[in-house]
Amino acid sequence: MTDIIINLTRSLCGACGLCIDVCPFKNLELVEGEVAYTGETCISCGHCAAACPNGAIQDPVIDSSEGEYETFIADKQWLPHGQYDTPGLVRLMASRRSCRNFIERTMDRALLDDLVKIGITAPSGTNCQLWTFTVIPTRKAVISFAGHIASFFSKS
Ligand code: SF4
Ligand code: SF4
């Protein structure tokens, strides 16, 4: 066996089998009534930890500090496996607007940091999170940057 990334607390395992069902690499199985990692490839997707109703699995690659925000208090409790707040999601998405009434004001750094943290909760292929955010905090810098982008594409 190689690449074991998750932490199992077997004493918390209720042998429900949910983690076994959701693992895309079939890394987990019940051995003598307890869950065990018997696979070879863990991509640290976190599905097993998310599905476990007893908190018996932790994925140490998932940085819990990413759920700490400075400008608001987040509910960090994951929804139980199979329970989703679909009406809430639809309401949020339907309420979204592209507001273009910009004002000249430097944004608070904490708010910008929180926005990036929210952004990285989006899905990424195999949870690789290979992304880079460039925060341009002033309107003047945005306009300057837009000029460089336009210049680049007008030459190509
Ligand atoms: S983190 Fe993902 S790949 Fe690794 S054991 Fe859990 S479900 Fe399987
Ligand atoms: S989901 Fe949790 S309780 Fe269920 S088998 Fe896996 S580790 Fe045990």
Side-chain angles (χ1 to χ4, degrees):
M1 292 183 287
T2 59
D3 295 327
I4 302 176
I5 295 176
I6 58 168
N7 291 331
L8 294 172
T9 306
R10 294 188 179 180
S11 59
L12 295 177
C13 176
C16 68
L18 277 174
C19 59
I20 297 167
D21 292 341
V22 300
C23 177
F25 286 88
K26 306 299 177 198
N27 288 327
L28 301 157
E29 61 181 316
L30 289 178
V31 178
E32 297 177 355
E34 292 183 334
V35 71
Y37 184 100
T38 56
E40 296 186 350
T41 306
C42 176
I43 62 169
S44 197
C45 64
H47 290 323
C48 54
C52 180
N54 297 349
I57 302 176
Q58 286 80 44
D59 186 341
V61 174
I62 297 176
D63 183 359
S64 60
S65 69
E66 289 177 357
E68 304 288 348
Y69 299 93
E70 288 189 55
T71 59
F72 66 98
I73 299 171
D75 183 353
K76 294 195 291 183
Q77 194 70 35
W78 286 352
L79 288 171
H81 183 64
Q83 294 183 25
Y84 309 106
D85 186 9
T86 306
L89 175 64
V90 170
R91 181 177 180 223
L92 182 64
M93 294 176 71
S95 301
R96 187 203 64 81
R97 297 286 182 274
S98 292
C99 174
R100 304 205 178 278
N101 293 325
F102 300 116
I103 57 176
E104 291 284 345
R105 179 164 62 91
T106 301
M107 296 304 298
D108 180 51
R109 176 62 193 247
L111 178 59
L112 295 173
D113 286 347
D114 280 355
L115 289 171
V116 171
K117 284 184 177 180
I118 294 170
I120 64 175
T121 64
S124 63
T126 64
N127 200 22
C128 59
Q129 302 193 12
L130 286 176
W131 40 35
T132 302
F133 291 84
T134 300
V135 176
I136 305 176
T138 67
R139 185 71 182 147
K140 184 179 176 185
V142 170
I143 292 170
S144 173
F145 187 64
H148 288 299
I149 298 289
S151 173
F152 173 81
F153 282 106
S154 65
K155 290 175 185 167
S156 54

